[in-house]
Amino acid sequence: MTDREYRAREGISRSELWRLNPDNGGTPEKFRWAQEHPEEPTPALIFGRLVHKLLLEPDGFDADFAIWAGKEKRSKAGKEAYDVFCENKGERQEVSSGDYMKAADMIRTAKEAPFVAALLSGAEREKPLFWTDAMTGEVCKVRLDALTEIGGVPVIVDYKTAQDASLDGFTRHAIKYGYDFQAGMYCEAVEITTGKAPRFVFIVQEKEAPYAVNIVEADELFIQRGKDKFRELLGIYHECRQTGNWYGYMGPEPVIAELSLPAWAGGN
């Protein structure tokens, strides 16, 4: 299943639910706006998709990406060359030759790191899962980077890039960006669709040379925290769908909040 086909399928995804997270400034109002006004992918997001493609589905690279090797687009010759390039690339995502070479260097380093080959060998890559939540009746979907089995136990493998791949650095990064929520939702998907409780392993790689790699496994507390957050956000989504009330900061029943000094600013 292609990424486009996956996105077109019915179901609420992890990235969509995360926009509802009140701990991260999310609200149903912002969620609905984002659904109705999809944004163009950022350079960081495009680069993330690029390295994922090279690591997980390199054989399909040419179907999804086109490399612009030109140095500039402003001169007459440059503009003409770029026009020809755009004609040939069709709907494929444009990436610069510089970004491609950097991504290729990163993936070469990742493949040489301990445990990476074993985790990805024989794994189902870009594995989509769909299920109906028993409590809310909402259709949910996820797309796993890789799903393998070790000793009869399913193992979800997720590749992440980060500024700091050390355990302490990535832990802070993971909490900030909701990777516990992701692990919880993905584990729930695998449990429901396979009947087996999985393990969850991150392959973490730094985005600057020497592109250091770390392998970290989410423990039970990390995953359970994510499952609790998944249940919270799916509940908000379900309630909004049932009531049609996509509220903002003032809550489902609007109230005027009291502004007072927090403890860190000298309050009590």
Side-chain angles (χ1 to χ4, degrees):
M1 177 180 290
T2 66
D3 182 64
R4 184 174 301 171
E5 289 169 339
Y6 168 76
R7 293 176 187 277
R9 281 282 297 268
E10 179 188 4
I12 186 72
S13 69
R14 183 265 305 181
S15 59
E16 291 171 321
L17 278 180
W18 185 244
R19 297 193 185 107
L20 289 166
N21 183 20
D23 298 336
N24 200 41
T27 67
E29 179 183 42
K30 289 183 177 181
F31 170 90
R32 186 173 63 171
W33 171 265
Q35 296 293 93
E36 295 174 351
H37 302 83
E39 297 180 351
E40 291 296 316
T42 63
L45 182 59
I46 292 171
F47 186 79
R49 291 175 181 172
L50 171 62
V51 290
H52 271 77
K53 195 69 176 181
L54 288 175
L55 178 65
L56 301 171
E57 294 182 313
D59 292 342
F61 176 84
D62 290 334
D64 291 342
F65 291 90
I67 303 170
W68 166 245
K71 294 183 179 179
E72 53 83 27
K73 306 173 185 176
R74 295 184 180 180
S75 69
K76 181 180 178 181
K79 186 178 184 305
E80 289 176 351
Y82 185 64
D83 287 344
V84 172
F85 167 79
C86 289
E87 251 184 71
N88 292 330
K89 81 176 180 66
E91 296 184 356
R92 294 179 295 166
Q93 176 63 58
E94 173 187 339
V95 294
S96 70
S97 57
D99 279 350
Y100 173 78
M101 288 188 290
K102 178 178 179 178
D105 285 343
M106 288 178 65
I107 297 311
R108 276 193 292 270
T109 301
K111 288 181 176 179
E112 293 171 356
F115 308 114
V116 171
L119 286 168
L120 295 179
S121 177
E124 296 180 85
R125 316 283 183 93
E126 300 289 5
K127 172 72 172 176
L129 296 174
F130 304 87
W131 76 102
T132 299
D133 178 63
M135 291 183 65
T136 64
E138 299 292 349
V139 179
C140 304
K141 63 181 180 180
V142 297
R143 198 177 191 204
L144 314 180
D145 282 355
L147 180 64
T148 189
E149 191 167 294
I150 298 176
V153 178
V155 179
I156 301 167
V157 182
D158 197 76
Y159 173 71
K160 297 293 187 193
T161 58
Q163 293 295 334
D164 183 356
S166 70
L167 182 57
D168 287 345
F170 182 68
T171 299
R172 290 191 294 270
H173 186 86
I175 297 302
K176 178 179 179 181
Y177 291 103
Y179 295 165
D180 54 337
F181 161 62
Q182 177 189 5
M185 183 174 180
Y186 284 19
C187 285
E188 181 142 334
V190 171
E191 288 176 27
I192 290 172
T193 56
T194 70
K196 297 180 180 180
R199 296 164 66 182
F200 195 106
V201 176
F202 290 101
I203 299 173
V204 190
Q205 185 170 31
E206 293 181 357
K207 294 183 281 188
E208 300 299 331
Y211 310 123
V213 176
N214 199 2
I215 310 293
V216 296
E217 181 174 357
D219 67 11
E220 291 184 12
L221 184 60
F222 187 92
I223 293 171
Q224 186 57 54
R225 184 177 190 268
K227 287 183 175 181
D228 292 343
K229 178 58 70 173
F230 167 63
R231 184 54 49 199
E232 174 193 348
L233 299 186
L234 188 63
I236 293 173
Y237 173 72
H238 178 67
E239 181 182 1
C240 291
R241 290 239 301 163
Q242 292 296 305
T243 63
N245 181 10
W246 299 89
Y247 54 87
Y249 288 125
M250 289 183 283
E253 298 180 4
V255 296
I256 299 175
E258 181 178 290
L259 182 63
S260 58
L261 287 176
W264 56 264
N268 294 326

